[in-house]
Amino acid sequence: MPDDLYLMNVSLNFALLEYLVGAVLYAVSASWKKNLFLFARCFLFLGFLSHTVSMGFRWIRAGHAPLTNTHESMVFLAWSIVLLYLVFERVYRLRELGLWISLFALSVLAYATSFDKTIHPIMPALQSNWLVFHVMFCMLGYGSFAIAFITSLGTLFLQRTKRKGNLLQQLDFLSYKAIVFGFFFLALGIITGAVWGNRSWGRYWGWDSKETWALITWFIYGLYLHLRATRKWRAVSLAWVSVIGFLSVVFTYLGVNYLLSGLHSYA
Amino acid sequence: MQRLLRFLASDGFGLTLLLLITLILMIAALLKPETAWQYIYISPFFFLLWVFLSISLLCALFFRFRFRFKSLGSILTHACVVLILIGGAVSAFFGERGFIELEEGQSSDLFYDDADRTHALPFEIALKDFSIDYYPGQPYIKEFRSTVELREGNQLLRTGKIEVNGPLKEKGYLLYQSGYDEENPRKTLLEVVRDPGVPIVYTGFVLLILGLSFVFFVKPNLRNHAG
C-alpha cells in the first residue's frame, strides 16, 4: 500500500506531465490542427485534477491546509492560474492563450518543486484560519494578475505585428476582466492578512516590507482601473501598466523574500 | 474657491496623489525598515500625503460623484478608503501598546512601550501558570499559553488563557501571548494593546469588500438589464 507522501509526489509529477502535453497540444492546435484543441483542454483539465489530488494528499498528510510555506503557496498559485484560465476559457472563449498559460502554469509548478518540500509542523502564529484565507486570496489574486500579464503581453505583441483589430480589443477586455478579479482577490488577501495580524500580535498594519509591497501592487492596479474607466487610456498604454503591475506582483511574492527582511520570512 | 474645490475634486489630482504615494511607498519598502520608519512612515509629510488623499476623495465624493443607485458601489468603495485612513490615524494617535514580562506567581498593572515609557493598566494581571506544548515526539512548539487572573483592587475580574492567536480582552485592552523567556520557562512575555482604531478600520474593510463587489459584479449586470 503506497503511502500518501508517495501518492502526493506521483500525482504532482503527473500534473507536470499533463500540463506539458496540454501545452504541446495547444501549440499544435493553434498552428495547424484546430480540432486538437479539445484534447489540449482535456489534458490541461487532467493536469488540474492530478494537481488537486496532490494538494489533497498533502493536506491529509500535514493535517492542515497546505498553504504555509513557499513551496505550498506556489503549488497553490499554479493551481489558481489553471483554475482561473479554465473558467476564463469557458466564459470568454479565449483559446489563443492556452499555450502560453499552460506553459506559465507549468513553469510555476516546476519552480515550486525546487523549494523545500518537507512537511513541518506549523509554528503557533501560523495556526489560524485567517492565514489560510490570507494565502488563498493572495494567490488567487496573483494568479489573476498572471493571466492579465499574459493577455497584456499578447496585446503588446499584436500591436507590434500590426495585426490590430478584433483580437487586440478582445485581449484588452480579458486583461481588464482578469485585473478586476485580481484587484478584488488582492483586496481580500490584504484585509484577511490585516485581520490575522491583529488576531496574532495586535497590529493590523505594520509597514512590513511584504505588506507594503502588496499595497503598492494594489495601488498600481487601482491606477489601471481608474486610467481605464475615467481617463479612457488606450489598450496598448494600459497593457504597459498591467505589465508593470505584474512586475510588482513578482517582487511582492518573491523579491521581498530574497532581498528584504520582515515578518513574512517564512513565506 | 470654486476653482480650488474643482481642482481638489478632480480625478487628475487624486490619481497624481495616488501615483506619488505609490512611488514613495516603493522607496520606503526598499529602504531598511528602521530608516523607512524614521524618515517616512512616522514623518509629518507622509501623514500629510494621506490627508491630501482623503481630502481629494472627500471632495470627489461630495462635488463630483453623482448619487445614483448605479454609482453606489463606487461611492461606498471610495468612502471606505477614507474611513480606513481615519481608523489608521486613530490607531496611530490614540492607541497604546507595550509589553509586560511576568514570572509565575507575579502580578503587575504596568506595561512598557518601545521608548521604555511606563503605562498604567486599569486592572492588575497575575500570572498563574505558563506552559508550552510540543508536537508529540518532535522538537517543534505547537502552542504556548499563559493562564492569568485579572484583578481590580481586591476584586477578581476574571481568569483566562492567553494563547498565540487567542488574545484576552478586558476594558478595551487586549493581551497577546507574544513570547517567553528561553532561559526561564516560567516567565511569559505579553503584549498589551489598546487600539480604538480597530472597529473603524474593520467597518471600512467590510464595506470596502461590499463596495468592490457592487462595482465589479453587480453593476455590470445592472447595465445589461437596463438595455
Side-chain angles (χ1 to χ4, degrees):
Chain A
M1 180 71 195
D3 75 335
D4 37 13
L5 215 57
Y6 173 77
L7 291 171
M8 177 189 96
N9 284 322
V10 166
S11 42
L12 199 69
N13 288 335
F14 261 110
L16 283 166
L17 185 68
E18 284 149 355
Y19 288 154
L20 183 65
V21 175
V24 171
L25 289 175
Y26 270 117
V28 174
S29 76
S31 42
W32 80 96
K33 287 232 183 278
K34 281 228 159 69
N35 46 1
L36 278 178
F37 167 75
L38 255 174
F39 286 99
R41 182 195 273 176
C42 250
F43 266 93
L44 192 65
F45 190 69
L46 272 177
F48 180 71
L49 288 184
S50 314
H51 197 157
T52 313
V53 167
S54 169
M55 293 195 315
F57 278 121
R58 195 178 176 91
W59 192 325
I60 293 167
R61 178 66 178 223
H64 54 81
L67 295 164
T68 54
N69 60 30
T70 308
H71 168 73
E72 292 175 346
S73 69
M74 206 177 278
V75 168
F76 185 79
L77 174 62
W79 186 85
S80 315
I81 294 171
V82 179
L83 173 69
L84 289 162
Y85 173 71
L86 287 170
V87 173
F88 263 58
E89 197 183 65
R90 259 210 86 67
V91 178
Y92 300 113
R93 317 243 162 248
L94 110 148
R95 297 182 172 194
E96 289 75 8
L97 293 162
L99 166 65
W100 302 107
I101 305 260
S102 35
L103 274 184
F104 194 88
L106 177 70
S107 336
V108 173
L109 190 59
Y111 188 38
T113 58
S114 72
F115 288 90
D116 183 12
K117 288 197 283 184
T118 39
I119 298 174
H120 291 291
I122 41 174
M123 53 191 272
L126 300 187
Q127 293 161 19
S128 163
N129 285 333
W130 287 108
L131 169 78
V132 176
F133 289 119
H134 167 57
V135 178
M136 220 177 69
F137 284 132
C138 286
M139 292 306 128
L140 282 167
Y142 296 169
S144 315
F145 292 141
I147 291 182
F149 172 66
I150 291 171
T151 48
S152 298
L153 284 185
T155 310
L156 294 174
F157 178 76
L158 273 185
Q159 194 255 343
R160 289 229 156 177
T161 56
K162 312 264 186 243
R163 271 175 51 207
K164 287 172 215 175
N166 216 356
L167 191 56
L168 193 133
Q169 295 309 321
Q170 206 188 346
L171 285 176
D172 175 54
F173 177 72
L174 285 167
S175 310
Y176 167 69
K177 277 289 167 194
I179 285 173
V180 160
F181 278 97
F183 191 72
F184 185 72
F185 284 133
L186 188 59
L188 278 168
I190 294 175
I191 286 175
T192 46
V195 174
W196 172 46
N198 196 42
R199 284 289 295 170
S200 237
W201 45 84
R203 203 188 268 279
Y204 58 83
W205 195 263
W207 298 114
D208 164 71
S209 343
K210 196 155 198 132
E211 64 193 13
T212 307
W213 271 101
L215 187 66
I216 291 167
T217 304
W218 198 66
F219 281 173
I220 293 176
Y221 286 108
L223 282 168
Y224 173 100
L225 293 170
H226 283 93
L227 292 173
R228 189 186 179 96
T230 66
R231 293 261 126 183
K232 310 283 180 220
W233 273 30
R234 302 168 66 96
V236 174
S237 323
L238 286 170
W240 280 112
V241 181
S242 163
V243 168
I244 293 170
F246 191 71
L247 293 180
S248 177
V249 168
V250 173
F251 195 78
T252 309
Y253 185 43
L254 296 173
V256 171
N257 298 15
Y258 295 128
L259 304 173
L260 309 167
S261 61
L263 274 177
H264 286 79
S265 45
Y266 37 71
Chain B
M1 191 62 200
Q2 192 120 38
R3 274 180 61 192
L4 178 69
L5 273 181
R6 202 175 299 149
F7 170 71
L8 290 175
S10 67
D11 65 332
F13 178 62
L15 292 178
T16 310
L17 259 177
L18 185 59
L19 179 64
L20 185 65
I21 290 176
T22 308
L23 293 174
I24 287 170
L25 285 179
M26 281 181 181
I27 297 168
L30 290 172
L31 291 171
K32 275 192 175 154
E34 310 87 68
T35 323
W37 273 97
Q38 192 186 345
Y39 293 105
I40 297 177
Y41 300 140
I42 56 169
S43 75
F45 99 91
F46 189 63
F47 178 73
L48 266 181
L49 278 178
W50 294 110
V51 171
F52 276 119
L53 187 68
S54 307
I55 291 174
S56 144
L57 284 165
L58 287 172
C59 288
L61 279 168
F62 285 113
F63 304 112
R64 185 155 58 85
F65 281 45
R66 280 188 229 150
F67 284 75
R68 280 179 300 187
F69 183 65
K70 215 174 73 179
S71 43
L72 183 69
S74 175
I75 289 170
L76 196 57
T77 304
H78 289 88
C80 282
V81 174
V82 180
L83 193 63
I84 291 168
L85 290 175
I86 291 173
V90 170
S91 296
F93 292 113
F94 302 106
E96 278 182 278
R97 64 180 65 238
F99 291 93
I100 304 186
E101 235 183 341
L102 284 174
E103 201 169 328
E104 286 174 3
Q106 282 184 335
S107 62
S108 168
D109 60 352
L110 298 173
F111 63 98
Y112 303 92
D113 65 17
D114 282 344
D116 259 339
R117 282 179 300 232
T118 313
H119 296 247
L121 277 168
F123 51 84
E124 193 180 37
I125 310 173
L127 181 65
K128 293 281 135 193
D129 181 64
F130 177 71
S131 60
I132 303 175
D133 296 347
Y134 289 87
Y135 284 95
Q138 286 173 302
Y140 297 105
I141 291 176
K142 186 173 187 190
E143 187 60 89
F144 47 104
R145 73 179 68 78
S146 305
T147 311
V148 294
E149 262 181 24
L150 307 181
R151 304 188 201 119
E152 196 173 7
N154 290 329
Q155 193 198 344
L156 176 70
L157 291 171
R158 63 192 286 194
T159 46
K161 281 189 172 62
I162 307 171
E163 291 183 334
V164 183
N165 279 320
L168 192 66
K169 193 173 186 181
E170 185 65 41
K171 292 183 194 273
Y173 285 85
L174 278 149
L175 306 170
Y176 291 87
Q177 182 66 63
S178 175
Y180 57 91
D181 190 336
E182 285 183 22
E183 275 146 36
N184 179 359
R186 298 179 60 218
K187 207 174 194 177
T188 188
L189 181 67
L190 301 177
E191 187 170 7
V192 183
V193 179
R194 191 180 61 84
D195 190 343
V198 169
I200 306 173
V201 171
Y202 277 23
T203 310
F205 283 169
V206 174
L207 296 178
L208 180 74
I209 292 303
L210 284 179
L212 284 178
S213 311
F214 193 98
V215 175
F216 292 149
F217 310 121
V218 180
K219 194 180 132 196
N221 300 332
L222 278 183
R223 201 179 281 156
N224 290 348
H225 275 289

